[in-house]
Amino acid sequence: MSVPQTDTSTVRFGAYAENPRPLLRSMKRGMLGRCPNCGQGRLFRAFLKPVDSCAECGEDMHHHRADDLPAYLVIFVVGHVLMAGYMASDLLFTLSPWVHLAIWSPLSVLAALVSIQPIKGAVIGLQWANRMHGFGGHGDEDDVFELPPRRDGTRG
């Protein structure tokens, strides 16, 4: 009796069979301001302006689309942390609203400025690891989907 042979080849869905890109490692490298690919080159040439390509490995970075997500994340994180601090200090100390304003306004500006670049780097690392917006060797035109028609027969 012969045993049927099974195919042991790997099945991959999608058109890309490149090397894996670990998500957490890529985001950590981005948070540290380093290239998500090699971890050696600089990610930013100015405070929030990413380089066009990595000086060490040559990975293109010009097609990232971080847009407004880093700012939204900064508002979310800084707002929650500072609000918790404000509420805790308000329970412990009796301070006038002007003193709270003098304390928490500079802290909020400082916290936002300190956290915006690492968060933007992490978002770029996230996009690189997931091969989004051209990081996978394909253009954005591959990401266009046709919307199904509405009940009235129009699209979009």
Side-chain angles (χ1 to χ4, degrees):
M1 188 181 270
S2 69
V3 177
Q5 298 220 350
T6 59
D7 185 15
T8 59
S9 63
T10 303
V11 176
R12 296 186 190 269
F13 295 98
Y16 308 105
E18 288 117 6
N19 295 332
R21 297 178 177 181
L23 179 67
L24 294 178
R25 184 186 72 190
S26 303
M27 289 179 68
K28 179 182 173 189
R29 287 177 175 175
M31 284 183 76
L32 295 173
R34 298 287 169 205
C35 171
N37 184 33
C38 67
Q40 301 297 317
R42 294 181 55 175
L43 184 58
F44 296 100
R45 68 172 175 247
F47 182 61
L48 288 177
K49 185 70 175 171
V51 295
D52 290 332
S53 62
C54 177
E56 298 292 323
C57 67
E59 180 74 25
D60 286 331
M61 297 290 165
H62 64 78
H63 42 265
H64 80 88
R65 293 173 81 184
D67 298 333
D68 292 335
L69 180 61
Y72 293 141
L73 293 174
V74 166
I75 291 169
F76 182 77
V77 171
V78 170
H80 280 81
V81 169
L82 290 182
M83 185 54 69
Y86 166 75
M87 299 203 43
S89 69
D90 198 38
L91 288 173
L92 297 173
F93 309 108
T94 304
L95 301 173
S96 72
W98 290 106
V99 174
H100 278 296
L101 184 68
I103 293 171
W104 297 105
S105 295
L107 277 178
S108 64
V109 171
L110 182 66
L113 289 175
V114 167
S115 63
I116 187 70
Q117 189 182 35
I119 289 178
K120 183 170 183 172
V123 169
I124 293 172
L126 171 86
Q127 291 177 358
W128 181 84
N130 288 325
R131 294 181 169 88
M132 298 168 65
H133 309 300
F135 281 122
H138 64 284
D140 284 340
E141 62 276 354
D142 295 342
D143 294 339
V144 175
F145 301 102
E146 187 172 330
L147 296 174
R150 293 183 184 170
R151 291 182 193 160
D152 61 0
T154 62
R155 293 191 182 269

